[in-house]
Amino acid sequence: RGRGGGKTFRVRMALEASFVDEAEIVFTTLTSSSRRVFRQLTHGFDTVLIDEAAQANEVATLIPFLHGARRCVLVGDPQQLPATVLSGAAQGVSFQRSLFERFTQLGAQALLLSVQYRMHPDIRAFPSDAFYQGRLIDSASVTAAAAEPYHAVHPLRPYMLFDASGGSQQKSATGSLSNPVEAMMVVCLFKQLEAVLQQSGQSVEGRCSVITPYREQRAMILRAFAALCGGEGAAARYGVRVSTIDGFQGQEADVIIVSTVRGGATRGGVGFLADVRRMNVALTRAKRSLWVVGQVSALRQSVMWEKLVVDAETRGCVIRAADPRQLFAGVVPVERQEAAMEQITRGRRGTNSGMGGSWGEGSARGHGGGRSGGGFGRDFGGGGARGGNDSGGRGGVVHWQGRRYAHPPASSAGGRSGNWGGEAGGRGGSGSGGERGLIIQVPPPPSHAAASSGSVGGGGGGGGG
């Protein structure tokens, strides 16, 4: 501050304190309530009301009570995500626990606000039964809302589960997961929504958001939007927010598309997607339509997601073996989908399962029989092979519209990839090395028939394959 700046600052603070002191209602975040201006008040507050109280840890929640309060009202949902705490030591002493949770554990009775004003009844049905003992009631404004024009167009009903059985997860260098097939499905769904709204004279801008549990999948979906919707920043230009589930808590959109990502792994369950609070957040953000994209066989590994699958099956809300080439060829030609898929996966290598590179480049991992990256799973290519001896298996081969993409990693042993419709490969031979795969024009192999990869092992002891 220059000369006289200190005095100006003091005058400003005193003026601000007088405004706060005289205000009937003061809005602030928990952290901001520790500011000096609150310490200059001549009186405390009659009531402190904390919204999203179940998402704040106890320490942060206690800050506004430093100024005195006769009454405390906590508003929040303990069935949704708590505060984010990364430290294992802090988690061990329940640092993430909210004051809301502590009160309920001590026997305080929470008042359930049972009337919901957001979700279409078809969307509300499962969360109500699964998380709130069937106690949620639709408001008059929800039940009286007119049907959307896209609700009459297959498959854009209010609630749908798309079985992306051809998808396969891949792990990035940071450990986050992505699934390119699901990313393609998400953007094709959006393009179908856009087409229907345009036909009815409406704009899609700001109507749709996409959420996913993994940051890597968020990045993959943004690349898919760029590939199919006009370049970098396409999602933002359409007003589409692509976010992690955690980052979207407390928000809403007319249409929510959820990409669950998990699939193609032989073990490991569904990761932190199994957290029922995260699941609850994902399933309760949509107002008019909720479309869940995921591999049903993978989701069944979680008890709660299994219940969702069974519920969707009972209600006739599942699209089996959902293939964007078949479902959305009318709005996104197969050739564009193929080019976009190659674009969003170019130069990327998987480290576990899934695909990378040019639709099939998995990297070897581990020694003495480590698993390699698979292709696109059942629809779009084979699963991973097992490596032999001291090297990992080669990456998968992906088939798409009669074209085979074989891209084993630069340092891998042999081994066979799977096929169109196939699951597992063979076992790799000994040695290391292996030439880079070739892109070969071949007719689509018959369903469930074995298909060897398009490159041979080389170098070192000579890879198999």
Side-chain angles (χ1 to χ4, degrees):
R1 304 184 188 99
R3 181 176 297 178
K7 181 178 180 180
T8 301
F9 176 74
R10 289 191 297 273
V11 170
R12 178 178 176 180
M13 291 299 296
L15 185 62
E16 184 178 358
S18 69
F19 289 155
V20 174
D21 212 21
E22 297 173 3
E24 295 290 335
I25 303 175
V26 177
F27 295 88
T28 180
T29 63
L30 294 175
T31 302
S32 294
S33 66
S34 65
R35 292 181 58 214
R36 181 187 303 176
V37 64
F38 289 101
R39 297 197 295 271
Q40 296 176 349
L41 299 179
T42 60
H43 58 79
F45 296 97
D46 293 326
T47 301
V48 171
L49 188 152
I50 300 175
D51 192 20
E52 295 290 356
Q55 198 180 3
N57 64 58
E58 284 184 271
V59 174
T61 306
L62 293 174
I63 295 174
F65 298 112
L66 294 173
H67 313 303
R70 298 178 182 177
R71 186 184 301 107
C72 167
V73 179
L74 302 179
V75 181
D77 188 349
Q79 302 302 321
Q80 296 193 5
L81 290 169
T84 300
V85 175
L86 302 180
S87 167
Q91 291 176 4
V93 294
S94 301
F95 187 77
Q96 74 278 10
R97 179 176 55 189
S98 67
L99 189 61
F100 192 113
E101 183 179 356
R102 178 188 282 273
F103 282 165
T104 55
Q105 289 175 348
L106 292 175
Q109 293 297 314
L111 175 65
L112 176 66
L113 305 179
S114 58
V115 179
Q116 68 91 16
Y117 297 84
R118 173 185 295 159
M119 298 173 282
H120 186 285
D122 289 356
I123 303 171
R124 178 267 307 150
F126 179 78
S128 177
D129 290 340
F131 310 120
Y132 302 103
Q133 298 80 48
R135 297 164 64 189
L136 293 186
I137 302 170
D138 301 323
S139 68
S141 61
V142 167
T143 57
E148 300 292 340
Y150 47 85
H151 286 167
V153 178
H154 181 77
L156 307 184
R157 289 163 52 186
Y159 177 61
M160 293 297 295
L161 171 60
F162 294 83
D163 177 20
S165 57
S168 186
Q169 71 190 44
Q170 70 178 64
K171 184 178 291 186
S172 71
T174 62
S176 187
L177 301 180
S178 63
N179 187 320
V181 176
E182 287 193 17
M184 186 62 60
M185 179 76 72
V186 164
V187 180
C188 287
L189 267 168
F190 171 79
K191 294 294 288 181
Q192 179 73 72
L193 173 66
E194 178 191 26
V196 174
L197 287 175
Q198 284 181 342
Q199 291 172 4
S200 62
Q202 300 182 41
S203 172
V204 74
E205 186 173 347
R207 302 283 294 273
C208 178
S209 291
V210 182
I211 56 178
T212 180
Y214 298 100
R215 291 189 181 92
E216 190 68 17
Q217 181 68 353
R218 175 184 179 273
M220 181 71 72
I221 291 169
L222 288 172
R223 287 197 296 273
F225 267 102
L228 289 175
C229 301
E232 291 296 325
R237 288 194 296 273
Y238 277 102
V240 178
R241 180 170 181 192
V242 183
S243 174
T244 61
I245 296 172
D246 297 49
F248 207 77
Q249 178 159 308
Q251 300 182 61
E252 63 183 17
D254 283 356
V255 177
I256 292 289
I257 307 175
V258 181
S259 173
T260 61
V261 180
R262 306 295 293 214
T266 58
R267 62 182 182 273
V270 295
F272 64 23
L273 193 63
D275 187 325
V276 294
R277 295 170 298 185
R278 182 169 286 106
M279 181 183 183
N280 187 13
V281 171
L283 300 179
T284 55
R285 302 301 95 200
K287 294 192 288 186
R288 306 302 297 149
S289 279
L290 171 66
W291 303 326
V292 180
V293 179
Q295 189 178 105
V296 166
S297 60
L299 295 178
R300 287 186 184 275
Q301 298 179 60
S302 162
V303 173
M304 190 60 77
W305 282 97
E306 162 75 5
K307 291 181 179 179
L308 178 141
V309 171
V310 171
D311 172 77
E313 290 174 336
T314 302
R315 296 161 59 187
C317 297
V318 180
I319 302 293
R320 293 289 182 186
D323 185 340
R325 299 167 300 173
Q326 298 173 1
L327 290 172
F328 307 112
V331 291
V332 184
V334 172
E335 294 77 11
R336 284 192 64 198
Q337 292 189 40
E338 181 181 22
M341 184 67 76
E342 186 165 354
Q343 181 178 339
I344 68 175
T345 60
R346 186 179 299 129
R348 303 182 62 80
R349 295 176 181 268
T351 58
N352 187 3
S353 61
M355 61 80 199
S358 189
W359 291 25
E361 184 176 6
S363 67
R365 194 174 186 203
H367 297 284
R371 288 188 181 275
S372 76
F376 268 125
R378 281 194 286 276
D379 271 346
F380 302 152
R386 284 186 183 273
N389 295 341
D390 290 330
S391 59
R394 82 166 68 179
V397 172
V398 173
H399 298 277
W400 179 280
Q401 293 295 300
R403 179 172 296 183
R404 180 170 70 180
Y405 298 81
H407 287 270
S411 175
S412 67
R416 287 191 307 164
S417 72
N419 64 335
W420 182 298
E423 291 262 353
R427 289 184 179 272
S430 62
S432 63
E435 296 178 2
R436 186 161 185 79
L438 308 175
I439 299 179
I440 307 172
Q441 291 283 355
V442 294
S447 179
H448 302 298
S452 61
S453 68
S455 65
V456 297

